Amino acid sequence: MAEGTKAYIEDRDGNKILPATDWSIVQNKPTNLARTDQLPTLSPWQRDGIVYKNGAYDWDHVHNGYNCAYRVADMGSFKIVEVRLVFGVNRDIVDDTEVINLPAAIRPDGDEETWQSTGIRGVFTHTMPNGDIHVYCQKFGDGDKYSHDSMITYHKTYFTTI
């Protein structure tokens, strides 16, 4: 077996810098890890703090409303958030209507804004920079609208430092 060339990182005075081996001095480590050989895991699905507005509701009529939920992996200095929303609205929408507010603890940081097609002609989900979810109907012709009680799906995974 061939032996590799040793390489050292040195400071400006020529002192060799060795990697930290004491877990207690590692900075910005995930809070859910006790040892260096563990990897962060996603939390169980949660719905705490999801607020429905303007007639929006969780589509799950059987399993107590877990179609609208989120889970988080704490990576230390940032979090990975997965959000899934399967919902309906109990009224027609022909414009831009706020339907869901996400909890502050999982809102994207920065100035993120996204649009997703719903599969219904001219109807999109619109994620606002503050994390609020809107249903937007772009009218291409007469009769274009979100018809009440139609299912809308939304799935997004993102990073946040909040």
Side-chain angles (χ1 to χ4, degrees), residues 9-17:
I9 298 174
E10 296 180 353
D11 65 15
R12 68 179 176 179
D13 297 324
N15 299 314
K16 291 182 177 47
I17 300 172

Side-chain angles (χ1 to χ4, degrees), residues 23-34:
W23 183 241
S24 67
I25 65 171
V26 175
Q27 297 178 4
N28 295 323
K29 63 187 169 206
T31 56
N32 60 343
L33 301 184

Side-chain angles (χ1 to χ4, degrees), residues 88-141:
V89 183
N90 65 10
R91 64 186 188 90
D92 291 353
I93 296 176
V94 295
D95 52 10
D96 183 29
T97 303
E98 181 179 13
V99 291
I100 295 176
N101 296 134
L102 296 178
I106 65 163
R107 288 188 174 164
D109 52 356
D111 198 17
E112 184 174 329
E113 184 173 2
T114 61
W115 294 81
Q116 288 180 298
S117 176
T118 63
I120 302 169
R121 178 183 156 119
V123 178
F124 302 88
T125 56
H126 181 199
T127 307
M128 304 298 287
N130 66 358
D132 294 341
I133 312 297
H134 290 224
V135 172
Y136 175 79
C137 181
Q138 180 181 11
K139 294 183 181 183
F140 293 110

Side-chain angles (χ1 to χ4, degrees), residues 4-63:
T5 303
K6 293 181 182 179
Y8 296 98
I9 298 174
E10 296 180 353
D11 65 15
R12 68 179 176 179
D13 297 324
N15 299 314
K16 291 182 177 47
I17 300 172
L18 300 176
T21 56
D22 182 353
W23 183 241
S24 67
I25 65 171
V26 175
Q27 297 178 4
N28 295 323
K29 63 187 169 206
T31 56
N32 60 343
L33 301 184
R35 303 183 320 267
T36 58
D37 63 343
Q38 291 178 314
L39 292 175
T41 59
L42 285 166
S43 67
W45 287 103
Q46 306 171 59
R47 352 171 245 190
D48 301 337
I50 295 176
V51 177
Y52 302 95
K53 302 185 89 173
N54 296 311
Y57 58 90
D58 189 306
W59 191 261
D60 188 353
H61 305 291
V62 179
H63 298 100

